[in-house]
Amino acid sequence: MTNTFETKNGRSHIAAAFAQAQETQSAALMPYFTLGFPDRATSLDVVEAIAPYSDLIELGVPFSDPLADGPTIQRSTQIALENGTTTADCLAMVRELRLRGVDKPFLLMGYYNPILAYGIETYVRDAAAAGADGFIVPDLPPEEADEFEQAAQAADLVLIPFLAPTSNPERIATIAPKAQGFIYLVSVAGVTGARSQVQSDLGEFVARVREYARVPLAVGFGIGTPEQAAKVGALADGVIVGSALVSVADKAEAKSEAAGAFVASLQAGLKKG
Amino acid sequence: MLQNTTSVPDKHGKFGPYGGQFVPETLMPAIEELIQAYDDARNDPAFMAEFDYLLKSYVGRPSPISHAKRLSAALGGAQIYLKREDLNHSGAHKINNALGQALLAKRMGKQRIVAETGAGQHGVGSATACALLGLECIVYMGSVDIARQQPNVYRMKLLGAEVVPVESGSKTLKDAINEAIRDWVTNVDSTHYLLGSVLGPHPYPMMVRDFQSIIGIEAREQLLNEVGRLPDTIIACVGGGSNAMGIFHAFREDEAVDLIGVEAGGEGIASGKHAARFADLAISRIGVLHGTKSYVMQTPDGQIMETHSISAGLDYPSVGPEHALLRDQERAGYTYATDEEALAAFQTLCKTEGIIPALESSHAMAEAIKRAPTMRPDQIILVNLSGRGDKDLDTVMRALAL
Ligand SMILES: Cc1ncc(COP(=O)(O)O)c(C=O)c1O
């Protein structure tokens, strides 16, 4: 197991997680959960409960206008905001999770405006101090990311770039080789949310990016069952599951148990042999 | 012809520190394609001729300027001239941009149009342009706005558009834009997003300005022909800022002409219930919303705030990036009018000139009414009367308890 006392947070922590997952699984598993949903304490319990079955964890920092998200994650972030969740509190939650012994790489997924409001450099520095490893900012394409990227680099954390099925060859050729950590491949043109089927041309998309990439490729958007995870895991290096997990936790009485069991089932779908 | 005489935005869509392209990767290729297509189109005389022809034969351009003689006399100061965008087909300036973009979408081979609307005027403009050009049209509209702009909802439906109620967030314009962007990102190959103001990622703020710049080009020529001089002051309301950019643009180099934008003061700045992005710098700071960097009304934590205005078209927490730059450069000045002042100006224009203005435009009128008495009778104020008020009758009747 990776150990936060030996492994530095950031780039190397992420690389180690992908490498280690490969020993027993077809791909690394990265669940997403919204911090502060349905309330602060429960969200921490959920993350702790899913951690043993996860290789990396994406933590949602709520924003009022999440335009890349579908209804499930929108609702969860809205509830988190109604509960008074702030960006500063999300960073405090990261720290608490580390103190509780959760040692998986954390990727903070949040929109750009709250980061600007917090201050880019301060945000990156506080996130690093809290124990985060990287950032996923859906409305910050590489064209606008210089300042953030520099701040992240200085802290040895990574800003994860996206590529989408719509990304043309020129964009893939410029974005993929420079990527740090991993590349987030959006499986379908659209917003987050569980879908009934995996895109049939996903393999071809992954292959196109792989030609240029020097880091693992993780696929997200629309993956919600162990079968889908297995299918995607056979093609990519990482599988990201968000809306389905949020909705499992939302519906269950015993939220962290249900979330843990669900992520365990996803992991089982990725096991080798 | 479209006018693009200024150096802004640069090729990254920056207006000084403002503007840009803050959108998900899925949309970036579509935006690159749009930049290219727009650049080709505006340099293609055939495209421009078709646009000009439709503006004349279908919209009814040029819209006239009217000398508001009785109002000017009653105020005892500057002569007020109105640029009559209310006389355009479909009732507002919004049609200029809607037609331009619909033509462009068609040229790009996109058959499906999504649009957002607040007051419903841009929705109506888009539905009209799509009906004319045979395009499918889906309009996202907050449920709060649907309730207060019913006549425009009926119009859009009659014109063959699908109106999709938006129930998320504040259920107004900003939420309608979120949903339109979500639709666009999902259907990006077949769909053009027909954004209705000088907002959003590059090239929208530039392209919408260019399509609206006909307003100022005409008004400048009309005043020179009919009065023999340029105005001293130009006043326009600022929601996203398209009618204001449209009338300002041609006067940009006329340094002696004051450019004044009027935001929605709602129930007053102190109440916090307003949409005066430039007036309340305690809660309005530079941020990113809907793909562009500009002033944004937000909490200290960076959450977007709900705004308030009696006019749905001004009820938006951010403002076009070029306005932020014009303000920094002190080329334009910005002020606000409250709901009450707009309502009073609405009634004044009805009674003194026989013109029922849109509540949005009434904000510009309110500022003209404040300023005219401080100016000399040989001076000229040009007001952009961006739209007509038919859509607002219910709101006004209720507010005045008629
Ligand atoms: C008549 C009228 N004027 C003004 C506006 C505000 O938009 P903008 O600031 O882009 O001109 C609207 C928006 O709906 C409108 O309908």
Side-chain angles (χ1 to χ4, degrees):
Chain A
M1 289 297 289
T2 48
N3 179 329
T4 43
F5 297 106
E6 287 161 19
T7 313
K8 225 164 95 57
N9 279 100
R11 197 193 320 255
S12 53
H13 195 197
I14 291 171
F18 275 98
Q20 201 181 336
Q22 277 204 330
E23 290 172 14
T24 53
Q25 292 164 206
S26 60
L29 179 59
M30 179 172 10
Y32 162 96
F33 202 74
T34 304
L35 291 170
F37 172 77
D39 56 64
R40 190 181 198 282
T42 308
S43 68
L44 294 180
D45 290 346
V46 166
V47 175
E48 193 173 4
I50 63 174
Y53 316 104
S54 311
D55 300 296
L56 307 92
I57 301 174
E58 197 185 337
L59 298 172
V61 180
F63 178 49
S64 55
D65 294 77
L67 55 76
D69 284 302
T72 307
I73 292 179
Q74 273 178 52
R75 187 172 155 274
S76 72
T77 53
Q78 197 160 343
I79 289 171
L81 288 175
E82 282 161 16
N83 293 335
T85 308
T86 62
T87 304
D89 195 34
C90 288
L91 299 182
M93 284 189 254
V94 168
R95 186 185 295 277
E96 279 176 57
L97 286 164
R98 290 299 186 218
L99 290 173
R100 282 161 77 159
V102 180
D103 61 1
K104 300 298 161 70
F106 286 149
L107 285 306
L108 288 171
M109 140 69 195
Y111 290 81
Y112 197 41
N113 195 62
I115 295 173
L116 278 178
Y118 197 101
I120 292 172
E121 275 180 35
T122 330
Y123 178 71
V124 169
R125 200 185 57 219
D126 290 359
D133 297 274
F135 306 94
I136 295 172
V137 187
D139 57 349
L140 191 66
E143 280 81 349
E144 303 287 354
D146 283 354
E147 195 181 350
F148 193 98
E149 202 125 41
Q150 277 164 23
Q153 211 126 46
D156 206 29
L157 302 200
V158 292
L159 174 64
I160 303 301
F162 283 88
L163 283 170
T166 52
S167 304
N168 51 39
E170 299 75 53
R171 292 189 69 79
I172 293 175
T174 46
I175 294 169
K178 284 191 284 191
Q180 308 277 349
F182 63 92
I183 302 176
Y184 193 135
L185 300 192
V186 176
S187 71
V188 290
V191 293
T192 58
R195 287 175 179 78
S196 56
Q197 290 209 321
V198 173
Q199 283 298 98
S200 56
D201 49 1
L202 184 62
E204 190 248 333
F205 172 40
V206 172
R208 267 193 289 144
V209 179
R210 206 176 294 281
E211 256 184 76
Y212 297 95
R214 291 179 301 173
V215 291
L217 309 180
V219 174
F221 281 42
I223 303 162
T225 66
E227 295 71 36
Q228 289 174 333
K231 252 188 200 168
V232 174
L235 302 169
D237 312 307
V239 177
I240 304 169
V241 177
S243 299
L245 173 60
V246 169
S247 106
V248 162
D250 190 19
K251 287 182 190 130
E253 217 35 71
K255 298 195 185 303
S256 43
E257 288 79 356
F262 177 64
V263 176
S265 75
L266 294 172
Q267 189 195 43
L270 294 174
K271 283 283 180 212
K272 280 183 183 166
Chain B
M1 285 297 281
L2 297 188
Q3 203 181 305
N4 193 14
T5 54
T6 54
S7 55
V8 289
D10 69 13
K11 68 179 190 325
H12 306 291
K14 299 284 185 195
F15 296 88
Y18 308 108
Q21 303 175 302
F22 297 87
V23 296
E25 171 63 24
T26 308
L27 290 179
M28 285 303 294
I31 282 175
E32 288 173 357
E33 182 193 351
L34 181 60
I35 290 170
Q36 189 60 51
Y38 174 58
D39 203 48
D40 289 348
R42 78 170 161 196
N43 291 308
D44 176 357
F47 177 87
M48 294 313 302
E50 189 175 6
F51 181 49
D52 282 346
Y53 175 73
L54 288 178
L55 288 180
K56 285 192 183 73
S57 67
Y58 187 73
V59 177
R61 304 207 70 92
S63 67
I65 52 169
S66 303
H67 184 188
K69 278 194 186 143
R70 276 182 15 93
L71 177 60
S72 306
L75 294 168
Q79 302 307 307
I80 296 175
Y81 282 79
L82 308 173
K83 177 61 175 168
R84 302 292 305 278
E85 293 297 298
D86 61 315
L87 293 179
N88 291 344
H89 175 52
S90 81
H93 70 292
K94 296 283 182 187
I95 187 73
N96 303 327
N97 166 57
L99 260 182
Q101 283 194 50
L103 276 175
L104 185 60
K106 204 162 170 165
R107 184 184 164 96
M108 292 169 73
K110 307 229 172 186
Q111 275 295 317
R112 185 174 177 275
I113 300 290
V114 294
E116 82 296 339
T117 198
Q121 283 307 127
H122 174 59
V124 169
S126 300
T128 302
C130 288
L132 178 70
L133 300 176
L135 301 170
E136 183 188 355
C137 184
I138 293 103
V139 181
Y140 290 91
M141 186 170 190
S143 57
V144 167
D145 291 338
I146 287 184
R148 60 178 163 174
Q149 306 278 222
Q150 272 297 325
N152 274 344
V153 177
Y154 298 137
R155 274 185 199 112
M156 287 183 267
K157 289 184 176 166
L158 285 171
L159 291 162
E162 181 189 346
V163 180
V164 183
V166 175
E167 300 291 349
S168 57
S170 58
K171 304 178 174 62
T172 59
L173 182 55
K174 98 174 158 70
D175 311 284
I177 297 181
N178 287 337
E179 279 314 316
I181 294 176
R182 289 183 186 120
D183 181 317
W184 189 28
V185 85
T186 305
N187 301 293
V188 61
D189 283 340
S190 65
T191 301
H192 173 69
Y193 177 24
L194 208 173
L195 182 48
S197 193
V198 286
L199 297 166
H202 179 62
Y204 285 101
M206 170 184 80
M207 178 173 68
V208 176
R209 173 197 72 192
D210 293 349
F211 284 138
Q212 292 291 4
S213 65
I214 186 73
I215 303 173
I217 294 170
E218 285 175 6
R220 194 173 185 283
E221 197 179 298
Q222 287 164 325
L223 274 174
L224 286 174
N225 286 344
E226 294 171 32
V227 192
R229 53 167 297 209
L230 294 178
D232 297 278
T233 302
I234 299 178
I235 302 177
C237 66
V238 181
S242 68
N243 86 87
M245 278 318 307
I247 199 162
F248 289 174
H249 198 56
F251 294 91
R252 192 100 139 212
E253 310 298 320
D254 301 317
E255 305 261 328
V257 179
D258 283 338
L259 308 176
I260 306 294
V262 186
E263 300 184 281
E267 295 176 13
I269 302 305
S271 74
K273 298 178 86 174
H274 61 78
R277 291 81 28 125
F278 289 139
D280 194 350
L281 298 180
I283 54 176
S284 181
R285 286 166 290 123
I286 295 169
V288 165
L289 180 64
H290 296 144
T292 194
K293 188 183 271 190
S294 182
Y295 281 81
V296 181
M297 289 174 60
Q298 53 184 306
T299 67
D301 196 40
Q303 308 300 337
I304 310 305
M305 290 189 26
E306 295 190 5
T307 51
H308 168 85
S309 170
I310 192 169
S311 79
L314 304 183
D315 207 350
Y316 182 71
S318 187
V319 58
E322 192 164 10
H323 285 291
L325 180 64
L326 288 176
R327 178 175 175 276
D328 280 3
Q329 294 172 335
E330 298 182 8
R331 178 61 194 96
Y334 294 83
T335 181
Y336 61 88
T338 62
D339 288 352
E340 204 175 320
E341 289 165 337
L343 270 171
F346 176 99
Q347 291 168 277
T348 302
L349 197 68
C350 289
K351 290 186 179 135
T352 58
E353 300 294 334
I355 296 171
I356 301 177
L359 277 172
E360 290 79 14
S361 324
S362 301
H363 287 70
M365 283 312 306
E367 179 62 19
I369 290 169
K370 279 182 218 168
R371 264 174 204 255
T374 70
M375 295 167 67
R376 296 186 316 269
D378 64 339
Q379 291 185 298
I380 293 176
I381 295 176
L382 173 65
V383 178
N384 196 6
L385 201 72
S386 56
R388 57 179 175 245
D390 312 34
K391 67 186 176 65
D392 296 314
L393 295 188
D394 271 2
T395 306
V396 172
M397 299 294 237
R398 227 171 300 130
L400 300 177
L402 287 178

